[in-house]
Amino acid sequence: MTKARDIMTPDAACVSASDTVLDAAKRMSDLSVGALPICGEDNKLKGMLTDRDIVVKVLAQGKDPRAVHAGELAQGEAVTIGADDDVEELLNTMSRHKVRRLPVIDGHTLVGIVAQADAARALKEPKVGDLVEALSVP
């Protein structure tokens, strides 16, 4: 049985909740990623920050990305998957919460991240279609 830890990108970089959105955007650019986990000062996962969040919740609202902190964009409890959860559970979690990137935790420690493409490569063909359909915006 394939587990989340088998398909995740290990050692996911975090953005600190106290970092500005501008700093987070620069980090995303440097790493060539579209999302970063938001980690608090206590090293616990606070949420995910996406490039879309930056555009829609900061730039389009006329806010200054140098004045908004990443932690301000974390919403509710972060959706995660356990490192030893199987790929079917990962698929169900992504579909249920309509997320394209899922932080992988071991206990309370962030150990990696699984993107939609990672999950798609690990799934049998009919399941890939189900995942894409579930995550598609109507």
Side-chain angles (χ1 to χ4, degrees), residues 38 45-48 57 71-79:
I38 302 169
L45 184 65
K46 303 296 182 192
M48 289 290 290
K57 297 176 183 174
E72 294 174 49
L73 300 180
Q75 296 179 322
E77 191 172 327
V79 177

Side-chain angles (χ1 to χ4, degrees), residues 52-92:
R52 186 175 193 285
D53 291 332
I54 293 170
V55 171
V56 172
K57 297 176 183 174
V58 179
L59 300 177
Q61 300 295 318
K63 297 177 182 175
D64 183 350
R66 294 170 296 197
V68 177
H69 294 95
E72 294 174 49
L73 300 180
Q75 296 179 322
E77 191 172 327
V79 177
T80 63
I81 192 79
D84 292 319
D85 289 345
D86 65 51
V87 174
E88 286 293 323
E89 179 62 25
L90 187 139
L91 169 66
N92 292 336

Side-chain angles (χ1 to χ4, degrees), residues 68-134:
V68 177
H69 294 95
E72 294 174 49
L73 300 180
Q75 296 179 322
E77 191 172 327
V79 177
T80 63
I81 192 79
D84 292 319
D85 289 345
D86 65 51
V87 174
E88 286 293 323
E89 179 62 25
L90 187 139
L91 169 66
N92 292 336
T93 301
M94 288 180 124
S95 298
R96 185 171 53 253
H97 294 280
K98 297 196 178 292
V99 294
R100 290 179 170 83
R101 299 165 188 101
L102 202 54
V104 181
I105 59 171
D106 191 354
H108 293 290
T109 304
L110 177 70
V111 294
I113 193 161
V114 175
Q116 179 180 4
D118 301 323
R121 281 191 292 272
L123 296 169
K124 296 196 179 357
E125 209 163 304
K127 293 288 186 182
V128 173
D130 293 344
L131 176 62
V132 172
E133 182 179 340

Side-chain angles (χ1 to χ4, degrees), residues 29-62:
S29 177
D30 291 345
L31 296 171
S32 296
V33 298
L36 287 171
I38 302 169
C39 295
E41 305 308 318
D42 57 1
N43 286 329
K44 289 191 178 176
L45 184 65
K46 303 296 182 192
M48 289 290 290
L49 178 65
T50 67
D51 46 10
R52 186 175 193 285
D53 291 332
I54 293 170
V55 171
V56 172
K57 297 176 183 174
V58 179
L59 300 177
Q61 300 295 318

